Amino acid sequence: MEDTAADKKSSYTYWVREATEDAAPRPVPRKLSADDLSKQPRSAVLGSVWNQAGTWEERNLNSWASNRIKELLKSLGSLEFSSGKAYIEEVTKCSGDAFLVTVRNKKRVGYTYEVTIKFKAGDWLIQKENKKIKGHLDIPEFSFSELEDLQIQVRLSEDKDLSTDDKMKICNDLRLCLAPIRKKLEVFEQELRDR
């Protein structure tokens, strides 16, 4: 069979070389001006300049995180209990890792830390007698989005004149520090997310 001119005209062709009257006009290239470039929307790229695609980048935030945790926990100052008042002297140990990872242009943060806080209690009422107590509050491990599982261990430095019941009462009172410590660590976690 022979192809006729009518068959060729009505058939579909993948690449159209001839423009028809109902086709859109061909695009004409034009040079962009500086004003045109300034009007272009800028895409929000996370991470460094060298990582414009946002594929993978990890930043170490250990120094900032350690200093910020210490600063927040020192700001607790003093804590009032039924038997006395405890003062936060210093954060003696603050070790761990904090990081910010950019993966596929999405920011993810995380941390794992251990903290030891040195405290002293000026006048702690024990069996109708005021005693000076010193010790440490240990937070063995806490990590990102797991602050509700936070635990605290109390170590008393000077317990020479204390009975076992008195030590238990003091330790139970000092475990009440957990709520204000958790609030300070939640502030830290939010600041880490916002970085």
Side-chain angles (χ1 to χ4, degrees):
M1 288 192 147
E2 292 182 24
D3 290 333
T4 63
D7 290 338
K8 285 186 179 178
K9 197 173 204 181
S10 66
S11 69
Y12 173 79
T13 58
Y14 178 75
W15 185 261
V16 178
R17 295 187 189 274
E18 298 166 7
T20 60
E21 61 264 2
D22 61 339
R26 289 185 174 241
V28 178
R30 71 177 178 96
K31 189 173 186 174
L32 293 176
S33 67
D35 190 41
D36 291 335
L37 291 174
S38 67
K39 292 178 184 175
Q40 290 283 333
R42 303 217 184 248
S43 62
V45 176
L46 295 173
S48 298
V49 175
W50 60 266
N51 191 10
Q52 292 294 312
T55 53
W56 176 270
E57 182 177 347
E58 185 172 345
R59 287 183 44 207
N60 182 337
L61 300 175
N62 292 347
S63 177
W64 173 84
S66 295
N67 291 334
R68 190 62 184 140
I69 289 172
K70 287 178 183 179
E71 183 181 320
L72 286 168
L73 293 178
K74 283 181 192 175
S75 71
L76 285 170
S78 63
L79 301 164
E80 193 83 33
F81 301 103
S82 61
S83 303
K85 198 177 208 180
Y87 301 93
I88 304 298
E89 284 189 318
E90 66 177 314
V91 178
T92 56
K93 177 185 171 189
C94 183
S95 62
D97 295 312
F99 52 87
L100 182 142
V101 177
T102 304
V103 181
R104 295 187 180 156
N105 220 13
K106 291 185 182 174
K107 182 173 69 168
R108 297 182 181 147
V109 292
Y111 66 87
T112 302
Y113 266 87
E114 294 180 11
V115 173
T116 300
I117 303 169
K118 184 177 180 182
F119 74 90
K120 72 175 181 178
D123 294 320
W124 204 276
L125 188 62
I126 300 168
Q127 297 177 359
K128 299 179 185 176
E129 188 181 329
N130 285 335
K131 294 197 176 191
K132 295 190 184 303
I133 298 170
K134 292 182 179 180
H136 294 85
L137 302 174
D138 295 322
I139 304 172
E141 185 177 339
F142 59 97
S143 57
F144 187 73
S145 71
E146 293 182 0
L147 292 178
E148 62 276 353
D149 299 334
L150 200 63
Q151 295 180 359
I152 196 166
Q153 298 168 355
V154 180
R155 289 185 292 134
L156 300 176
S157 299
E158 299 173 6
D159 57 354
K160 47 192 166 217
D161 297 341
L162 300 174
S163 68
T164 306
D165 290 341
D166 292 337
K167 288 180 199 175
M168 289 301 292
K169 183 174 180 359
I170 293 169
C171 289
N172 287 337
D173 281 349
L174 287 170
R175 282 192 185 97
L176 297 175
C177 290
L178 192 59
I181 288 172
R182 182 180 288 126
K183 284 184 182 175
K184 293 295 182 179
L185 293 176
E186 285 170 354
V187 169
F188 163 74
E189 197 167 284
Q190 188 58 47
E191 289 177 4
L192 182 64
R193 278 190 192 118
D194 295 341
R195 280 186 70 83

